[in-house]
Structure formats: C-alpha cells, structure tokens
Amino acid sequence: VRGDSMEPTLMEGDLLLIDLNRNYIDPPGGIYALYINDTIVAKRVQVISQGGKLRIISDNPKYETIDADPDQIGVNGKVIWFARELER
C-alpha cells in the first residue's frame, strides 16, 4: 500500500493479498483493487441500488467519495487479507 487514503484500515507499507478470481463487485461490497485512470488503487466499494452505480470510498475522511459507472473502472480483484510490519 502507498499513501494514506485507506487509513486507518490499510496503512502505508501494508501487504495485500488480492483474489484475482473475484474481479467483480459483490453486492455487499468490500475492499477491491481497482484500475482507475491508469492507476491501481485499493478502495472500499459499495453497489448503489439506484442505477447500478458504484460508490468508491476512501476510509480516510479527508478524501471524497466518488460515484462511478461500472464501465469507468476495472476490477482487478477483491482484497481478502493484509499484513503489517509491527515495527518500521
């Protein structure tokens, strides 16, 4: 992980395990590796029932939530595990 947009859930330097077979958004949502604007990001995603849009959420409140059409993003997979070094 690079950056602070998913703090406090995911921190800079955390390692993620991504299930590449789950390259679709489950209705209950979760944290996914997304391809947006030529960048891969880990973000929380919720399906918005009105119109089938996706809500892209950073856990850090200083970043705004984005509503996007599913065809605007690529889903690489679902984050299913992370690890953090205890001392840096």
Side-chain angles (χ1 to χ4, degrees):
V1 173
R2 288 189 209 153
D4 65 349
S5 70
M6 287 300 290
E7 287 183 4
T9 308
L10 301 174
M11 309 286 277
E12 174 100 21
D14 286 353
L15 298 175
L16 304 180
L17 178 62
I18 299 166
D19 184 347
L20 299 177
N21 290 316
R22 295 171 74 179
N23 58 353
Y24 53 89
I25 305 297
D26 290 321
I31 298 176
Y32 290 86
L34 305 174
Y35 187 72
I36 303 173
N37 298 329
D38 300 323
T39 306
I40 296 176
V41 297
K43 297 290 182 188
R44 191 172 302 280
V45 181
Q46 293 177 337
V47 177
I48 303 171
S49 59
Q50 306 90 346
K53 289 193 177 234
L54 301 175
R55 181 157 287 154
I56 314 298
I57 303 164
S58 296
D59 285 359
N60 188 332
K62 76 179 188 181
Y63 295 92
E64 290 191 29
T65 296
I66 300 166
D67 291 345
D69 290 317
D71 60 350
Q72 292 178 307
I73 64 166
V75 180
N76 289 9
K78 187 169 188 175
V79 176
I80 58 170
W81 178 88
F82 78 93
R84 178 173 300 141
E85 191 174 331
L86 293 177
E87 292 184 25
R88 293 187 188 176

